[in-house]
Amino acid sequence: MIALLTRDLRLALRAGGGFGLGLAFFLIVVVMVPFAVGPRADLLSSIAAGVLWIGALLACLLSLDRIFALDWEDGSLDLLATSPIPLEGLVSIKALAHWLTTGLPLVAAAPVLAVMLNLPPQGFMPLIISLLLGTPALSVIGTFGAALTVGIKRGGLLLSLLVLPLYVPTLIFGAEAARRGADGLDITTPLAFLAGITCGTIALLPFASAAVLRINLR
Amino acid sequence: MTLTVQDISVARGGIAVLEGVSFTLTPGHALVLRGPNGAGKTTLLRAIAGLQSTLRGDISAPEGGLVYAGHADGIKPTLTVVENLAFWAQIFGTTHIDTALAAYELTALADRAAGALSAGQKRRLGLARLLVTGRPLWVLDEPTVSLDTHATGLFAAAIRAHLAQGGAALMATHIDLGLDEAEILDISPFRASAAVLDSFDEAFL
């Protein structure tokens, strides 16, 4: 399984691997917002947390169809399904690799971009914590969506439609935590909900993803 | 390590293609499936590999003893030949990739990106994967596609060595590999008969 993780990370970092795709998209969205909203520091700082969360979520969504599509096209998925690795392990590793190549860079870039949106200083820590807690759920849910649409040519639209509603709870509690943090309020409750959602998806969804992958391969 | 297939029926795209296929494959033997295009060779092999469900019948394959190689080789173009093989070796928990490289004369290409290989070289890399898995039962779908005569000879030698070590191979292929120990099973007699009305008139009477 470690071999699979290192292979996926290596593939992502090589040319055409898609590493940086989500990051670049996140960067573009956040840089464009001040141009669209106008140079009003008070307005920007009040929407900063929400914009950063939306940007991170969409950047995550952008790279989802790569999770299984490439392995499906070149036949590796069939070969992996007949290998000693259980499918539950396979989808968990795929989700982890997706988070390491997409979610983690977004978390790292968020504080830098938050400066551009004039996020209040007390909001930085809550923003990082909420993204750190929330992005794993985005990757795990996204892996489930990718497993559902594997084998469908250009299934990106279907994938987005399936996954976006499932992203809503994570977005609500994640953005709520970041926003309350920026306003200097207590963030324990939304963070607890966010952590709960993440733990729940990590515990349950790999089994669902493996089940739909099994059906799709057959 | 015996593969037993009893009276299985398989379907592709919701239509039954094969009915009542039975055979036994014991260690040290090879079985070659023959049949025209669309006869259901790939469907049967995928069912045996566990990638497809069967309509009826039993397949008793050795648990964790099977390796499947389909039309696609599962090669990552941005990884080198060695990295591709080493990945599969790690997945199957083995280490000896040098012998696999040598068996298919890939040693000279070891550090080349797999995307830069020709179709035949890619296929050789795909077949070399079978050697690093260390699994006794090979299930191969058209293994010799895009191989030249020399590479086909390498493949036949690899099969022979595998059988000599007590392995077994089940393959669908159209060409004669010159394997004396291989049995041939023509699957065209097992073609499923579509449910057709006996007489058109009876439907109205």
Side-chain angles (χ1 to χ4, degrees):
Chain A
M1 299 231 271
I2 301 210
L4 183 61
L5 181 65
T6 48
R7 181 196 75 152
D8 273 10
L9 294 181
R10 194 181 278 159
L11 283 174
L13 292 173
R14 297 248 164 119
F19 177 76
L21 177 74
L23 198 57
F25 180 82
F26 187 43
L27 185 82
I28 291 166
V29 167
V30 176
V31 169
M32 291 298 169
V33 165
F35 291 124
V37 172
R40 290 173 51 194
D42 56 327
L43 184 61
L44 273 178
S45 71
S46 65
I47 61 167
V51 166
L52 286 164
W53 253 93
I54 288 274
L57 188 142
L58 292 178
C60 225
L61 195 67
L62 194 65
S63 52
L64 285 183
D65 65 339
R66 302 183 69 91
I67 296 181
F68 291 119
L70 298 179
D71 277 351
W72 162 263
E73 279 164 16
D74 65 16
S76 318
L77 203 55
D78 279 347
L79 304 179
L80 283 169
T82 53
S83 76
I85 296 183
L87 278 180
E88 287 79 5
L90 171 74
V91 294
S92 308
I93 291 292
K94 285 281 179 188
L96 177 61
H98 180 261
W99 183 71
L100 286 176
T101 54
T102 309
L104 200 56
L106 293 181
V107 177
V112 182
L113 294 173
V115 177
M116 302 186 66
L117 293 179
N118 202 16
L119 188 77
Q122 73 269 23
F124 277 78
M125 219 46 208
L127 174 75
I128 296 170
I129 294 171
S130 69
L131 281 173
L132 210 52
L133 276 177
T135 44
L138 301 183
S139 288
V140 174
I141 296 170
T143 307
F144 174 64
L148 270 174
T149 54
V150 75
I152 300 174
K153 290 255 187 314
R154 289 166 193 77
L157 174 67
L158 186 60
L159 176 60
S160 312
L161 289 175
L162 284 169
V163 163
L164 269 179
L166 300 175
Y167 274 1
V168 168
T170 312
L171 175 67
I172 290 174
F173 290 110
E176 173 76 5
R179 203 171 52 237
R180 288 177 68 91
D183 293 342
L185 302 169
D186 180 41
I187 58 166
T188 323
T189 314
L191 271 191
F193 271 104
L194 188 64
I197 291 167
T198 303
C199 292
T201 54
I202 292 175
L204 297 175
L205 273 182
F207 296 100
S209 308
V212 293
L213 201 56
R214 211 168 272 130
I215 293 166
N216 270 339
L217 284 178
R218 283 179 178 173
Chain B
M1 282 294 141
T2 303
L3 169 74
T4 314
V5 171
Q6 271 184 343
D7 192 28
I8 66 162
S9 301
V10 289
R12 186 183 59 228
I15 300 166
V17 286
L18 287 172
E19 272 178 352
V21 184
S22 301
F23 60 81
T24 309
L25 183 60
T26 48
H29 290 84
L31 183 65
V32 177
L33 300 179
R34 287 275 159 83
N37 293 149
K41 299 185 291 296
T42 297
T43 314
L44 180 61
L45 291 177
R46 285 182 66 87
I48 289 168
L51 290 168
Q52 178 159 0
S53 51
T54 55
L55 296 175
R56 212 175 44 244
D58 285 323
I59 299 171
S60 76
E63 183 68 29
L66 180 149
V67 61
Y68 170 75
H71 292 280
D73 291 315
I75 292 169
K76 292 294 172 193
T78 47
L79 298 182
T80 66
V81 170
V82 164
E83 285 170 337
N84 268 297
L85 270 189
F87 165 67
W88 290 110
Q90 280 174 298
I91 290 289
F92 284 88
T94 58
T95 46
H96 43 269
I97 63 168
D98 292 339
T99 49
L101 283 175
Y104 284 100
E105 297 181 355
L106 288 165
T107 316
L109 304 168
D111 293 321
R112 190 177 294 189
L117 297 180
S118 78
Q121 289 167 336
K122 274 184 195 155
R123 184 29 67 117
R124 266 152 63 194
L125 175 55
L127 292 172
R129 185 183 64 88
L130 297 168
L131 293 171
V132 303
T133 59
R135 293 251 169 130
L137 176 59
W138 293 357
V139 177
L140 314 175
D141 193 3
E142 305 271 7
T144 55
V145 168
S146 67
L147 290 184
D148 60 15
T149 338
H150 177 62
T152 310
L154 293 177
F155 170 65
I159 289 275
R160 220 169 265 133
H162 180 61
L163 298 182
Q165 288 167 5
L170 172 65
M171 61 188 120
T173 177
H174 296 288
I175 67 156
D176 188 16
L177 286 170
L179 288 170
D180 301 328
E181 52 275 67
E183 296 164 46
I184 289 177
L185 176 70
D186 188 355
I187 59 162
S188 31
F190 300 108
R191 180 179 289 253
S193 50
V196 188
L197 282 172
D198 286 345
S199 155
F200 183 73
D201 288 341
E202 274 177 19
F204 295 96
L205 291 174

